[in-house]
């Protein structure tokens, strides 16, 4: 509950005045991901250094390089969350000012230390199905014998 | 091949009385049984896509452990409510994982990834349903309405040294990978570039789902609470059109899937990038 209230405050009430004054919020990766998947029209833009991106990667951010004028965002985007390195401030201020001038609502966020991006689930590998000899229609979940398929295609009876 | 739809239909029709004939449960829980009889799980073995995929895989009996555990047309009451009354753990993701984390099924692992990223919903928050309000009319991607608004596509243009690049962003609201489920399902991205006269200049396709990689089958679904960016050079295109379709049938994208559903589409004129 407390986490939900904190997130609500951060996303609805505090984000605008704090970010407008140049003060950065510190959000966890989970908060950033939830913000990005909230209402439509949101985009997370990562203007951090390559080192910061490697140390605290974001699973939802669009990594950008070069000048803001090199980019033309989707017309549906109304609100931009800038992921920044607090120091030095010049690079992200250029992005913030450019985007604000272009009419976007801009929030400036520092990714919380220790807030590591969750790696994707292991790419589970498909395997052959177990080959069952059902006992009968009513108790098929108790097979009389289970076989595993060997790489050469032969079946091997498993101990019960 | 022609026999499959007919066989599927007959098996599906057969599934309704089969579900209603689970005597222990139905006597007291008729509304639950009616709701459930209309769900895809109740006809999981009779389903046309399953029949096709099953035939392709050489009718391996192991598939039936989940698709027809009692040899009927689908999953019955007791396959989730293992202990009958008082089986409270049935709402737990682990209960779903008995079948949804299997060979060619990685949905539970992807759900755990979703929760680790801060997702807060459970399986039943999205998949429970039913006209009688029993929560037993399980719903999923076999319903077109269920897929509505699940995906969002964006197109950003970036100026690179080699020329303009279109960056397609794909995000989705599923609490697991997209697509969830087994190897036959896939989500297919199609990007088309057209010149000023509307002529097709190039197309780019990407398939997400189970894929063969160096002889191994791997789960390459779109991760949950994640935004996937796909880049493609704009080339001579004046307009970019992007679509994402949900495929329910096995085979690759070179085969037309009459059951596929358009998840999202978007189009943009290529800008000059003088700034917004």
């Amino acid at each position: 509950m407390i986490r939900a209230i904190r997130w609500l405050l951060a996303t609805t009430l505090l984000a605008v005045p704090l970010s407008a004054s140049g003060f950065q919020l510190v959000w966890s990766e989970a908060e950033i991901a939830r913000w990005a998947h909230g209402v439509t029209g949101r985009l997370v833009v990562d203007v951090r250094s390559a080192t910061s991106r490697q140390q605290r990667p974001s699973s939802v951010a669009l990594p950008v390089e070069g000048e803001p004028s090199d980019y033309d965002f989707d017309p549906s985007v109304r609100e931009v969350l800038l992921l920044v390195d607090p120091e030095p401030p010049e690079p992200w201020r250029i992005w913030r000012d450019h985007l604000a001038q272009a009419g976007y609502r801009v929030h400036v966020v520092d990714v919380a230390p220790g807030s590591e991006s969750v790696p994707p689930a292991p790419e589970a590998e498909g395997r052959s199905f177990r080959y069952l000899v059902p006992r009968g229609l009513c108790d098929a979940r108790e097979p009389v014998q289970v076989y595993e398929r060997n790489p050469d295609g032969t079946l091997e009876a498993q101990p019960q | 091949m022609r026999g499959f739809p007919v066989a599927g239909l007959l098996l599906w029709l057969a599934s309704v009385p089969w579900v209603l004939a689970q005597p222990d449960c139905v006597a007291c829980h008729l509304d639950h049984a009616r709701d459930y009889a209309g769900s895809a799980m109740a006809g999981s073995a009779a389903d046309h896509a399953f029949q096709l995929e099953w035939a392709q895989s050489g009718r391996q009996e192991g598939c039936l452990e989940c698709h027809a555990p009692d040899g009927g047309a689908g999953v019955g009451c007791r396959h989730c409510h293992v202990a009958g009354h008082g089986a409270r753990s049935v709402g737990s993701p682990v209960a779903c994982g008995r079948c949804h984390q299997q060979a060619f099924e990685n949905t539970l692992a992807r759900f755990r990834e979703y929760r680790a990223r801060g997702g807060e919903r459970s399986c039943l928050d999205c998949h429970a349903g039913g006209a009688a309000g029993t929560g037993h009319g399980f719903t999923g991607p076999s319903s077109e309405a269920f897929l509505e608004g699940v995906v969002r596509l964006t197109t950003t243009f970036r100026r690179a040294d080699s020329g303009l690049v279109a960056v397609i962003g794909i995000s989705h609201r599923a609490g697991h990978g997209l697509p969830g489920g087994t190897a036959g399902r896939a989500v297919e991205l199609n990007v088309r570039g057209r010149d000023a006269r509307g002529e097709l200049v190039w197309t780019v396709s990407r398939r997400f789902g189970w894929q063969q990689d160096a002889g191994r089958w791997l789960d390459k679904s779109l991760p949950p609470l994640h935004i996937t960016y796909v880049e493609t050079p704009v080339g001579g295109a004046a307009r970019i059109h992007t679509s994402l379709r949900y495929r329910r049938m096995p085979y690759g994208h070179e085969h037309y899937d009459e059951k596929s559903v358009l998840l999202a589409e978007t189009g943009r004129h290529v800008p000059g990038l003088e700034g917004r």
Side-chain angles (χ1 to χ4, degrees):
Chain A
M1 178 62 102
I2 292 170
R3 196 172 66 162
I5 292 170
R6 183 172 156 248
W7 183 77
L8 190 70
L9 284 172
T11 51
T12 57
L13 302 175
L14 297 178
V16 178
L18 288 181
S19 58
S21 67
F23 188 96
Q24 302 115 44
L25 299 164
V26 180
W27 281 9
S28 70
E29 163 64 9
E31 286 171 319
I32 295 166
R34 278 204 300 266
W35 184 89
H37 286 81
V39 298
T40 56
R42 291 175 167 180
L43 182 70
V44 180
V45 175
D46 194 344
V47 298
R48 297 176 300 165
S49 68
T51 313
S52 297
R53 284 179 196 167
Q54 203 170 14
Q55 287 172 345
R56 285 171 288 162
S58 168
S59 59
V60 294
L62 174 70
V64 295
E65 280 162 12
E67 302 297 318
S69 56
D70 289 341
Y71 288 82
D72 189 312
F73 297 137
D74 190 272
S76 68
V77 175
R78 298 280 176 271
E79 228 175 329
V80 175
L81 192 73
L82 275 186
L83 303 189
V84 304
D85 285 322
E87 297 295 337
E90 286 75 23
W92 64 258
R93 281 185 178 162
I94 291 170
W95 274 91
R96 182 199 60 185
D97 295 346
H98 177 91
L99 294 173
Q101 208 165 21
Y104 295 103
R105 193 175 178 194
V106 187
H107 311 279
V108 181
V109 166
D110 184 12
V111 182
S115 160
E116 287 177 15
S117 184
V118 176
E123 288 182 339
E125 191 175 342
R127 53 187 164 80
S128 72
F129 291 89
R130 291 192 304 162
Y131 185 84
L132 305 180
V133 179
R135 189 190 295 275
L137 289 183
C138 297
D139 49 1
R141 297 185 64 234
E142 296 296 332
V144 288
Q145 183 62 59
V146 175
Y147 294 86
E148 290 287 350
R149 198 178 293 276
N150 293 320
D152 63 1
T154 58
L155 295 171
E156 189 174 315
Q158 301 297 304
Q160 295 295 293
Chain B
M1 294 288 276
R2 279 180 130 191
F4 280 119
V6 178
L9 179 65
L10 290 173
L11 280 166
W12 182 82
L13 288 171
S15 75
V16 177
W18 172 76
V19 169
L20 294 175
Q22 304 270 300
D24 295 354
C25 312
V26 176
C28 297
H29 303 287
L30 188 59
D31 280 349
H32 292 71
R34 279 182 178 146
D35 264 357
Y36 183 67
S39 73
M41 279 209 315
S44 57
D47 176 66
H48 173 49
F50 169 72
Q51 289 287 324
L52 189 58
E53 207 175 334
W54 191 43
Q56 284 179 353
S57 69
R59 299 187 188 279
Q60 297 188 58
E61 300 245 351
C63 307
L64 302 180
E65 190 180 2
C66 283
H67 281 269
D70 277 349
V75 179
C77 310
R78 287 192 179 278
H79 304 121
C80 297
H81 296 276
V82 177
H85 286 129
R88 291 183 183 174
S89 65
V90 78
S92 144
V94 177
C96 308
R98 193 181 75 76
C99 284
H100 291 285
Q101 189 63 42
Q102 281 280 352
F104 294 101
E105 249 285 8
N106 202 29
T107 307
L108 181 60
R110 289 294 204 185
F111 169 76
R112 288 187 169 136
E113 182 185 340
Y114 161 78
R115 294 298 286 258
R117 290 212 167 103
E120 291 173 337
R121 287 168 294 154
S122 73
C123 311
L124 297 181
D125 286 342
C126 299
H127 292 286
T134 65
H136 279 65
F138 289 95
T139 181
S142 50
S143 153
E144 207 162 313
F146 184 81
L147 293 171
E148 213 174 297
V150 164
V151 166
R152 182 181 168 228
L153 291 175
T154 58
T155 308
T156 292
F157 291 101
R158 173 170 68 83
R159 184 161 42 206
D161 292 340
S162 54
L164 267 186
V165 173
V167 186
I168 311 299
I170 314 168
S171 59
H172 67 86
R173 301 171 68 86
H176 45 70
L178 188 73
T182 56
R185 294 178 184 169
V187 164
E188 192 178 291
L189 177 74
N190 210 295
V191 190
R192 289 188 173 90
R194 293 185 184 278
D195 64 17
R197 291 173 302 164
E199 299 291 328
L200 189 66
V201 182
W202 49 259
T203 61
V204 170
S205 290
R206 283 279 297 274
R207 187 181 190 275
F208 302 96
W210 284 91
Q211 289 180 22
Q212 254 188 324
D213 188 350
R216 299 182 312 157
W217 279 93
L218 298 172
D219 170 18
K220 301 270 189 186
S221 58
L222 293 161
L225 279 179
H226 181 279
I227 299 179
T228 302
Y229 289 102
V230 176
E231 295 202 354
T232 178
V234 165
R239 185 172 170 81
I240 306 277
H241 180 265
T242 308
S243 63
L244 196 76
R245 295 192 79 85
Y246 192 105
R247 293 175 61 99
R248 298 183 177 124
M249 304 297 285
Y251 297 128
H253 58 74
E254 67 277 13
H255 291 267
Y256 176 69
D257 175 5
E258 78 277 9
K259 283 192 161 188
S260 71
V261 174
L262 181 67
L263 293 171
E265 64 180 334
T266 180
R268 277 199 79 183
H269 287 290
V270 175
L273 274 185
E274 283 88 23
R276 186 184 146 158

